[in-house]
Amino acid sequence: MENIVVIKCGGSTVDALPSAFFESIRAMKDNGKHPVIVHGGGPAINKMLKQLKIKTEFVNGLRKTTSDVLEAAEMVLSGKVNKDLVSAFQQAGAAAVGMSGVDGQLLKASPVDLETLGLVGKIDDVNEEIITFFLENGYIPVIAPIASANAGEKLNVNADDAAAAVAQALHAEELVFVTDVDGVIINGKLREKLDMTDIDSLIENNTIYGGMIPKVKAAAASLTGKIEKVTIANGNGENTYEDGTLKGTAIMKQTETIQ
């Protein structure tokens, strides 16, 4: 299937996304592209964990996931956040369907490091046929990143990694990470383009740090097949889609040569 665009909505932006964002995705669809949404829900999960008095911690930007944390994360991601996004798309006039990575074994994963991260998974396989089915029938799939493991248990998957895996499996032409920042900020200024070779050195010298590390790593890892560019952009409505892409930091296989 051609013209697939995978759009990852960061948890910190989900509640703040304006109606213009959902309308722009509908317009993208109306113009012949096929958007697929993968979303996070970090702040909502934090709120639920606080209410349930469940302790949580992060290791290199990834949430350490105990069984209690996983249960709360699934409740929030597959429940409220997923359905709120589906409702917002429908209010914008776009047909959408919500699902978890557990549904139909859409996302299959294995543990990253049980001792360090607990029930955090890395994607091993994506059942792209389910996603394609909904795309072919005119729906925007909205995917929560809870995955199935081989033994039947569930795993919490970083939404950036899930979006990258979905984009690879679908041979998407575009991947956009929608977050609450304009992109990668270096010395107070937005870097509009980054070469893959830049990323390791910027992480090593702590220019890129915290939660931005998994974002840029997932972006770089997804630069295979048809995907030539991955954009990290702000979804606050000030930037608008141009030719199906949000303004932000474009991470490319190689930067363009300036003549």
Side-chain angles (χ1 to χ4, degrees):
M1 194 170 186
E2 300 294 324
N3 301 322
I4 293 176
V5 181
V6 175
I7 301 163
K8 185 266 178 173
C9 296
S12 57
T13 67
V14 166
D15 290 338
L17 288 171
S19 58
F21 169 82
F22 298 97
E23 291 164 1
S24 70
I25 304 301
R26 184 205 64 210
M28 178 190 294
K29 184 173 180 293
D30 291 343
N31 288 330
K33 294 194 175 184
H34 301 288
V36 176
I37 310 298
V38 179
H39 67 84
I45 294 172
N46 288 339
K47 182 178 179 181
M48 178 62 71
L49 291 173
K50 185 175 181 180
Q51 291 175 344
L52 297 175
K53 298 181 180 179
I54 298 173
K55 294 182 179 180
T56 185
E57 61 179 297
F58 286 83
V59 180
N60 293 327
L62 298 176
R63 184 190 302 275
K64 184 172 183 178
T65 304
T66 63
S67 57
D68 287 342
V69 170
L70 179 62
E71 184 174 348
E74 183 176 24
M75 186 176 4
V76 170
L77 291 171
S78 302
K80 178 174 172 51
V81 175
N82 189 269
K83 302 317 170 190
D84 282 351
L85 285 170
V86 170
S87 178
F89 277 115
Q90 291 176 165
Q91 289 177 34
V97 60
M99 66 190 84
S100 162
V102 175
D103 296 323
Q105 292 191 316
L106 173 60
L107 302 177
K108 293 183 71 173
S110 56
V112 175
D113 184 335
L114 283 171
E115 183 176 349
T116 303
L117 293 172
L119 298 174
V120 172
K122 57 181 178 181
I123 301 294
D124 296 322
D125 187 54
V126 176
N127 187 347
E128 66 269 17
E129 291 182 2
I130 294 178
I131 303 173
T132 302
F133 171 82
F134 286 112
L135 292 175
E136 289 176 341
N137 284 277
Y139 291 92
I140 297 174
V142 182
I143 302 169
I146 300 293
S148 295
N150 290 330
E153 70 268 20
K154 301 168 187 175
L155 294 171
N156 184 24
V157 178
N158 177 270
D160 295 325
D161 295 336
V166 168
Q168 290 175 359
L170 293 172
H171 304 290
E173 66 175 31
E174 299 178 30
L175 175 58
V176 180
F177 290 104
V178 177
T179 181
D180 58 351
V181 295
D182 292 335
V184 177
I185 308 298
I186 298 176
N187 297 325
K189 294 183 180 180
L190 174 69
R191 177 73 72 88
E192 294 186 359
K193 293 180 181 179
L194 279 178
D195 193 296
M196 284 182 65
T197 57
D198 297 330
I199 292 173
D200 288 339
S201 61
L202 290 172
I203 292 174
E204 187 175 343
N205 66 20
N206 292 321
T207 300
I208 295 175
Y209 59 93
M212 187 58 74
I213 292 176
K215 286 183 174 57
V216 296
K217 284 188 173 181
S222 67
L223 286 169
T224 61
K226 293 172 60 179
I227 301 175
E228 294 288 337
K229 178 178 71 172
V230 182
T231 301
I232 298 173
N234 198 328
N236 64 8
E238 293 181 7
N239 294 326
T240 56
Y241 275 93
E242 294 181 354
D243 299 325
T245 304
L246 270 171
K247 295 178 181 178
T249 298
I251 297 175
M252 310 176 75
K253 288 183 178 177
Q254 61 182 44
T255 53
E256 299 173 355
T257 302
I258 299 175
Q259 300 293 335

